[in-house]
Amino acid sequence: MQKHRTNLPDWSALIPVLPAAGPRRDALQAELRRLIVTRVLLPGQKLPPSRELAQRLKLARGAVVAAYEQLAADGFVEARLGAGTFVAAQVPEHAAHGTALQAPVPTGPTPLAPAPGKLGGGTVDDRTLRDLRGLFREALLRPPPEFLHYGDPFGDLSLRREIVDYLRVTRGIRAGIDQVMITSGTQSALSLIARAFLPSDSRIWVEDPCYPQALNLFRSLGLTIIPVPVDGDGLDPAAGMLAAPEAEAVYLTPSHQFPLGATLSMPRRLALLDWAQGAGAWIIEDDYDSEFRFTGPPLAALHGIDRAGRVIYLGTFSKALAPGLRLGYAVLPAEVVETVRRLRDLTDRYPNPLIETVLARFMADGHYAAHLRRARKRCRMARDALVEGLSAAPLDVMNPDQGLHLIAFARGDEADAELQRLAEAGGLCSRRLSQMFLKAPARQGLVIGYSGFETAEIRAAAHGATRAITSGRRG
């Protein structure tokens, strides 16, 4: 009986399309060269074995071998003994007939690159990537036991230990390792906590204006939203107690209020803690970017001065490193740990152990602290470039002393929808401030991010937005 291989490699993306007539060997050679030149086939990419390519194209194997040999002689591919044929790392600059071989290098951002000004950009640099790459390589060579088995629903013990040490030094938080839960980001933690402690008819205070993603989550869970106004001292607990004194929870960003940027004053922190203790309410403290303070250390976290065990602290590596890591953490009051553990075990079981292992080493070896020092400097420079680029715009630009975004307020009665349109026409991305208000009178302005962008890039985009907004107003 004829034997058939049932698991042939799928080389479909690498198979050239040849004309039905004419010298097919020459056509194969020309088409492979075109695929290399246009970077459909990338440097270092393996080509199909000659036998399988010949079978797929219904060519003599000798014709494929001859085409490969000619491409190798011209410098387009290289043969590796026992491994196969690969696209050369460096291909010739010009073809024999003078045709340019390499596709032009794009000069602007790729379609997948975020536009300057987009919120939530990561802060990794080349050195950080190099350190992480080495640690990932080690972890893959010796993967943690949890990589092949189910792990702890709260996450890797070594990473939780590093987080406990980090928070004790930087945020004044004293918690046990068993109180720390690794999550796949703040939104994941919010969802888990809300489902664990807040039935669908619960009332929750939120800042007005508020972080939209948190607000959308609370609404989707059927919670009753109680908007509490924000001023220069942050959320006003007195207004919250007047509106809903028996609310079950409050969600806020006390270190750097999103989006307005205020820091919750110490008298209001103490008043909020007193209210939560008396009402038996939960305080959900979202500390999303406290690492990025440019003029001294931030105030102690609410969790650090909580003596009644009412604060649930949320942190994230999305802003400090990169959103793509999908890692955050929650510090829970001891009395609710088992409740949350059971619910976590019913949802996603446990976090990614490979990434946890790498990040634990990254922190333990001092890379994280060094990265934050570099990232703060880069973000401060990007902030300054953004402020400078917008200085001539008809906007009132706030120069924040912390965080990863700023607000450019509209002047007069100009709508921020039109300002956003003009700014984006000039190359600067933004979010409309007015859309983040709930009950308080909406202020018109643009919320603009500066993390993850080179100084020259964000400055150029800001200058472009300034020109577009200025021209738009004249028109």
Short mmCIF file of all heavy atoms in Angstrom, two decimals, residues 48-73:
data_model
loop_
_atom_site.label_atom_id
_atom_site.label_comp_id
_atom_site.label_asym_id
_atom_site.label_seq_id
_atom_site.Cartn_x
_atom_site.Cartn_y
_atom_site.Cartn_z
N PRO A 48 11.02 26.43 2.16
CA PRO A 48 10.56 25.04 2.13
C PRO A 48 11.66 24.10 1.63
O PRO A 48 12.46 24.48 0.77
CB PRO A 48 9.39 25.09 1.14
CG PRO A 48 8.98 26.52 1.08
CD PRO A 48 10.22 27.31 1.32
N PRO A 49 11.71 22.89 2.14
CA PRO A 49 12.66 21.92 1.59
C PRO A 49 12.45 21.74 0.09
O PRO A 49 11.32 21.81 -0.40
CB PRO A 49 12.33 20.63 2.36
CG PRO A 49 11.68 21.10 3.61
CD PRO A 49 10.93 22.33 3.25
N SER A 50 13.52 21.55 -0.64
CA SER A 50 13.44 21.48 -2.10
C SER A 50 12.50 20.37 -2.56
O SER A 50 11.76 20.53 -3.54
CB SER A 50 14.83 21.27 -2.71
OG SER A 50 15.42 20.09 -2.19
N ARG A 51 12.51 19.24 -1.85
CA ARG A 51 11.67 18.11 -2.27
C ARG A 51 10.18 18.49 -2.15
O ARG A 51 9.39 18.22 -3.06
CB ARG A 51 11.97 16.88 -1.42
CG ARG A 51 11.26 15.60 -1.90
CD ARG A 51 11.53 14.45 -0.95
NE ARG A 51 12.95 14.21 -0.78
CZ ARG A 51 13.70 13.50 -1.62
NH1 ARG A 51 13.14 12.96 -2.70
NH2 ARG A 51 14.98 13.32 -1.38
N GLU A 52 9.81 19.12 -1.04
CA GLU A 52 8.40 19.45 -0.83
C GLU A 52 7.96 20.59 -1.75
O GLU A 52 6.82 20.61 -2.24
CB GLU A 52 8.16 19.83 0.63
CG GLU A 52 8.37 18.65 1.56
CD GLU A 52 8.14 19.02 3.02
OE1 GLU A 52 7.56 20.10 3.26
OE2 GLU A 52 8.51 18.24 3.90
N LEU A 53 8.85 21.56 -2.01
CA LEU A 53 8.50 22.64 -2.92
C LEU A 53 8.32 22.09 -4.34
O LEU A 53 7.40 22.49 -5.06
CB LEU A 53 9.58 23.72 -2.89
CG LEU A 53 9.30 24.99 -3.70
CD1 LEU A 53 7.98 25.62 -3.27
CD2 LEU A 53 10.44 25.98 -3.55
N ALA A 54 9.18 21.19 -4.74
CA ALA A 54 9.05 20.60 -6.07
C ALA A 54 7.74 19.83 -6.19
O ALA A 54 7.05 19.89 -7.21
CB ALA A 54 10.24 19.67 -6.34
N GLN A 55 7.38 19.10 -5.12
CA GLN A 55 6.14 18.34 -5.14
C GLN A 55 4.94 19.28 -5.24
O GLN A 55 4.00 19.02 -6.00
CB GLN A 55 6.05 17.50 -3.87
CG GLN A 55 4.79 16.65 -3.77
CD GLN A 55 4.76 15.86 -2.47
OE1 GLN A 55 5.70 15.89 -1.69
NE2 GLN A 55 3.65 15.16 -2.25
N ARG A 56 4.97 20.40 -4.50
CA ARG A 56 3.85 21.32 -4.49
C ARG A 56 3.69 22.02 -5.85
O ARG A 56 2.58 22.27 -6.30
CB ARG A 56 4.05 22.35 -3.37
CG ARG A 56 2.87 23.30 -3.15
CD ARG A 56 1.73 22.61 -2.41
NE ARG A 56 2.11 22.24 -1.08
CZ ARG A 56 1.91 22.99 0.00
NH1 ARG A 56 1.35 24.17 -0.14
NH2 ARG A 56 2.25 22.57 1.20
N LEU A 57 4.84 22.37 -6.48
CA LEU A 57 4.80 23.11 -7.74
C LEU A 57 4.81 22.21 -8.96
O LEU A 57 4.76 22.69 -10.09
CB LEU A 57 5.98 24.08 -7.80
CG LEU A 57 6.00 25.20 -6.77
CD1 LEU A 57 7.28 26.01 -6.90
CD2 LEU A 57 4.79 26.10 -6.92
N LYS A 58 4.91 20.88 -8.70
CA LYS A 58 4.98 19.91 -9.79
C LYS A 58 6.16 20.22 -10.72
O LYS A 58 6.04 20.28 -11.94
CB LYS A 58 3.67 19.87 -10.57
CG LYS A 58 2.49 19.37 -9.73
CD LYS A 58 1.21 19.30 -10.55
CE LYS A 58 0.11 18.60 -9.77
NZ LYS A 58 -0.16 19.19 -8.45
N LEU A 59 7.32 20.43 -10.09
CA LEU A 59 8.58 20.67 -10.78
C LEU A 59 9.53 19.52 -10.48
O LEU A 59 9.37 18.81 -9.48
CB LEU A 59 9.23 21.97 -10.30
CG LEU A 59 8.63 23.30 -10.74
CD1 LEU A 59 9.39 24.43 -10.05
CD2 LEU A 59 8.73 23.45 -12.23
N ALA A 60 10.53 19.37 -11.33
CA ALA A 60 11.60 18.44 -11.00
C ALA A 60 12.37 19.00 -9.81
O ALA A 60 12.60 20.22 -9.71
CB ALA A 60 12.52 18.26 -12.20
N ARG A 61 12.77 18.12 -8.91
CA ARG A 61 13.49 18.60 -7.73
C ARG A 61 14.77 19.30 -8.15
O ARG A 61 15.20 20.27 -7.52
CB ARG A 61 13.80 17.43 -6.80
CG ARG A 61 14.45 17.88 -5.50
CD ARG A 61 14.91 16.73 -4.66
NE ARG A 61 15.58 17.19 -3.46
CZ ARG A 61 16.38 16.43 -2.72
NH1 ARG A 61 16.59 15.16 -3.08
NH2 ARG A 61 16.96 16.91 -1.65
N GLY A 62 15.41 18.84 -9.23
CA GLY A 62 16.64 19.45 -9.68
C GLY A 62 16.45 20.92 -10.05
O GLY A 62 17.34 21.74 -9.87
N ALA A 63 15.25 21.25 -10.56
CA ALA A 63 14.98 22.64 -10.92
C ALA A 63 14.93 23.52 -9.67
O ALA A 63 15.44 24.65 -9.66
CB ALA A 63 13.66 22.73 -11.69
N VAL A 64 14.34 23.00 -8.59
CA VAL A 64 14.27 23.76 -7.34
C VAL A 64 15.66 23.92 -6.75
O VAL A 64 16.05 25.01 -6.30
CB VAL A 64 13.32 23.08 -6.34
CG1 VAL A 64 13.31 23.84 -5.02
CG2 VAL A 64 11.92 22.98 -6.93
N VAL A 65 16.43 22.82 -6.77
CA VAL A 65 17.80 22.89 -6.23
C VAL A 65 18.62 23.90 -7.01
O VAL A 65 19.37 24.71 -6.43
CB VAL A 65 18.45 21.49 -6.28
CG1 VAL A 65 19.94 21.58 -5.94
CG2 VAL A 65 17.74 20.54 -5.32
N ALA A 66 18.47 23.90 -8.32
CA ALA A 66 19.22 24.85 -9.15
C ALA A 66 18.83 26.30 -8.84
O ALA A 66 19.67 27.20 -8.78
CB ALA A 66 19.00 24.55 -10.64
N ALA A 67 17.53 26.52 -8.62
CA ALA A 67 17.07 27.87 -8.28
C ALA A 67 17.65 28.31 -6.94
O ALA A 67 18.11 29.45 -6.78
CB ALA A 67 15.54 27.91 -8.25
N TYR A 68 17.65 27.40 -5.95
CA TYR A 68 18.21 27.72 -4.63
C TYR A 68 19.71 28.03 -4.75
O TYR A 68 20.22 28.97 -4.13
CB TYR A 68 17.99 26.55 -3.67
CG TYR A 68 16.62 26.50 -3.03
CD1 TYR A 68 15.60 27.36 -3.42
CD2 TYR A 68 16.35 25.56 -2.02
CE1 TYR A 68 14.36 27.30 -2.83
CE2 TYR A 68 15.10 25.50 -1.42
CZ TYR A 68 14.11 26.36 -1.82
OH TYR A 68 12.88 26.30 -1.24
N GLU A 69 20.40 27.22 -5.56
CA GLU A 69 21.85 27.43 -5.69
C GLU A 69 22.15 28.77 -6.33
O GLU A 69 23.10 29.46 -5.93
CB GLU A 69 22.45 26.28 -6.52
CG GLU A 69 22.48 24.96 -5.77
CD GLU A 69 23.00 23.83 -6.63
OE1 GLU A 69 23.08 24.01 -7.87
OE2 GLU A 69 23.31 22.75 -6.07
N GLN A 70 21.36 29.17 -7.33
CA GLN A 70 21.60 30.46 -7.98
C GLN A 70 21.30 31.62 -7.01
O GLN A 70 22.02 32.60 -6.97
CB GLN A 70 20.73 30.59 -9.23
CG GLN A 70 21.02 31.83 -10.06
CD GLN A 70 22.47 31.90 -10.52
OE1 GLN A 70 22.97 30.95 -11.12
NE2 GLN A 70 23.15 33.01 -10.24
N LEU A 71 20.23 31.48 -6.22
CA LEU A 71 19.91 32.50 -5.22
C LEU A 71 21.01 32.61 -4.18
O LEU A 71 21.36 33.71 -3.72
CB LEU A 71 18.57 32.18 -4.54
CG LEU A 71 17.32 32.39 -5.40
CD1 LEU A 71 16.10 31.77 -4.71
CD2 LEU A 71 17.07 33.88 -5.66
N ALA A 72 21.60 31.47 -3.82
CA ALA A 72 22.72 31.49 -2.86
C ALA A 72 23.94 32.16 -3.47
O ALA A 72 24.63 32.94 -2.80
CB ALA A 72 23.05 30.06 -2.42
N ALA A 73 24.20 31.86 -4.74
CA ALA A 73 25.34 32.49 -5.40
C ALA A 73 25.16 34.00 -5.51
O ALA A 73 26.14 34.76 -5.45
CB ALA A 73 25.53 31.87 -6.80
#
